[in-house]
Amino acid sequence: MSALTFAEPLPGLAPYTDYTLDAVDGAVGLFSLRPAEAPEVRLFVLDASVYLPQYAPEIAAPCREIGLGSAQDARVLVVATPGGNGTTVNLMAPVLVNESTGQSAQAILDGQGWPLRASLSA
């Protein structure tokens, strides 16, 4: 379990800024993200380096905001939404994590052409 702190609440999850990130047993790179104050709320997030190795958004500026000197130092997670027709991932708004400090941010990548709902291929 990791404790994460966001400077700003995630869209739709105000007022929460403190979260726990837990690995899902048996699924490498799959995590559960829950507000510390509302553990009944849960998002699934995927480690982009495991599931989307070609995903390379421009994230240098938001990485600096969470205390990282380089985008390569961030753990990049994408929100996954399971559904009847498969799972989609939000590539327009990755969650960036400074694993040393727990500081985190959701970057909004307007103008980079990344989709809000990309199909996750098996």
Side-chain angles (χ1 to χ4, degrees):
M1 177 177 77
S2 296
L4 304 182
T5 300
F6 291 80
E8 299 289 328
L10 296 171
L13 293 174
Y16 309 118
T17 56
D18 294 321
Y19 286 78
T20 58
L21 181 69
D22 295 307
V24 174
D25 290 337
V28 174
L30 175 62
F31 300 90
S32 156
L33 182 65
R34 296 176 190 256
E37 295 176 6
E40 69 280 3
V41 175
R42 175 180 61 188
L43 296 175
F44 286 109
V45 292
L46 302 174
D47 187 324
S49 70
V50 173
Y51 289 91
L52 304 158
Q54 303 304 319
Y55 181 54
E58 174 50 51
I59 55 173
C63 283
R64 286 190 296 274
E65 292 174 13
I66 60 170
L68 295 171
S70 157
Q72 289 76 23
D73 297 333
R75 173 169 278 196
V76 179
L77 305 170
V78 293
V79 176
T81 305
N85 294 325
T87 299
T88 60
V89 290
N90 180 346
L91 300 182
M92 183 187 276
V95 173
L96 310 176
V97 177
N98 179 331
E99 293 185 285
S100 297
T101 65
Q103 288 183 293
S104 302
Q106 186 170 33
I108 306 301
L109 306 177
D110 287 331
Q112 291 191 33
W114 295 105
L116 185 60
R117 289 183 188 90
S119 179
L120 184 64
S121 301

